[in-house]
Amino acid sequence: MSAPDCQVAVVGGGPGGSTVAGFLARAGLSVVLFEREAFPRFHVGESLLPATLPILARLGALDAVTRRGFQVKHGALFSDQEMDLEQRYYFLRDRPWPHYSFQVPRAEFDTILLEHARAQGVDVRQPATVERVTLDRDGVTLEGVAAGGAFTTRAAFLVDATGRDALVASRIGRRARVPNLGKVALFAHVRGAERASGIDEGSIRIHVFPDGWFWWIPFAGDTTSVGCVMHARTVREWRGELDELYDAMVSRCWRVAKGLNGAERVTPVHRAANFAYVNHPAIGDRFVAVGDAIAFVDPIFSGGVHIAMSSGELAARAIVDAFRDGRFGARRFRAYERAVWRGVKPFFRFIQKYYEPAFLELFLKPCKRLGMFDAVLAVLAGGVFAGMPLRTRLSLEALFALVRMNVWVRRRARLPVESRLEW
Ligand SMILES: Cc1cc2nc3c(=O)[nH]c(=O)nc-3n(C[C@H](O)[C@H](O)[C@H](O)COP(=O)(O)OP(=O)(O)OC[C@H]3O[C@@H](n4cnc5c(N)ncnc54)[C@H](O)[C@@H]3O)c2cc1C
């Protein structure tokens, strides 16, 4: 077997790939990163969580992100059209994470992160598509196509950061769809949409309506990202064009229709389908996956970039340790895998619950007792990824107990209790 060209090959230059590569290079490892697309490129996933900012700071990229002047986000507005309820949440001060985050056009954000990785010493090859990876006892061989033609690279270690493409799981593993979350998103950027003022200007809005839910993400300037998540069935049964379906959904959600009155669409309507899955394997001998290459369920709480960057940072730590010890067996990456799942679980639980009217009703009429409000805000800020203090855990259990009681109350009142997952 030929000598490796680098210690670590990272495939994918989204937030997960740039983060793991940046941390590895800062630790002194030689890293080659392959990214299929020329940047800047459009990408879905534009609302960041406050707990992501400390990761950016540790990576040394926070100044570059802050300097760009992205729209500051102080919280979120959630509403439900059927129950006619609306609730604003603001991120709390005096937490280990800031009380704000950013709304970022991903074309710009991902470029900043990838350029930052390059500045840390990562050898970024772009556009370069990896088509085949072959893992063996001593490392990995990557084969692909770049502008100059076909290439082959040898590395001692592989990181799969290919997002929903999940290079390794789709070639040598398996992908499990999450039942009932067969959703499709249609989304576009618009100009001239309604703008809130002051502290609310940058809040993400999540509007639930009978056909699904909308996100509303205001960027700095006059552009807003507006996307609709609906059941795959709705798209399958639609006989017209996708942008007509998007417009039809806008007209059915009165808050969005009102906010878009007079606005102009400035991008095509994009589509993302089948985005709820869990992939295997997430780790192996001389291999780990990060971010969406491991799993993704539902974007309602904007956790994707945070999970990608958190797992990127955790993976880098585990890989640096492996190189220090000169041992790369799958077993030593189990702790990494467990840490990722511990971090992802609170999001998954909230997402499943969010589709139950009994939960949504309490979420939109929050109870401030027993620390429940603060606990919800810790999840919404992404602050529970690194572990949940006992108090937060108990407060969330109290909330879920209240939800169970609310199911009973709603049943007696003959109000709907069935999960809306089947939308
Ligand atoms: C509808 C929807 C809305 C969302 N909204 C939000 C949100 O508001 N906030 C949020 O935080 N998250 C959101 N997300 C999730 C977010 O988009 C992802 O979680 C995040 O982008 C994951 O980062 P990543 O680095 O793992 O993957 P990606 O960002 O997808 O990056 C993977 C990269 O790998 C490259 N690549 C793929 N295959 C290859 C290959 N073979 N060779 C070379 N390069 C390759 C791709 O070009 C891509 O640049 C949303 C997701 C969806 C579906």
Side-chain angles (χ1 to χ4, degrees), residues 11-18 34-37 39 41 43-49 103 106 110 128-131 161-167 171 185 187 204 213 215 217 229 272 275 290-293 295-296 298-299 301-309:
V11 189
S18 294
F34 300 92
E35 167 54 51
R36 184 178 56 195
E37 312 267 344
F39 279 13
R41 56 93 175 87
H43 201 292
V44 70
E46 299 147 327
S47 193
L48 302 189
L49 302 184
Q103 309 286 26
R106 285 284 300 277
D110 289 13
T129 305
V130 174
E131 293 179 332
T162 53
R164 291 192 287 131
D165 284 48
L167 179 70
R171 302 289 198 288
F187 45 97
I204 185 172
W213 60 271
W215 75 74
I217 299 174
V229 176
F275 44 78
V290 300
D292 277 11
F296 189 69
D298 191 292
F301 294 118
S302 310
V305 171
H306 184 62
I307 291 168
M309 293 188 65

Side-chain angles (χ1 to χ4, degrees), residues 35 45 101 122 135-136 147 151 251-252 311 399:
E35 167 54 51
S101 191
V122 176
L135 284 149
D136 56 63
F151 66 83
S251 67
R252 289 182 204 173
S311 58
L399 171 67

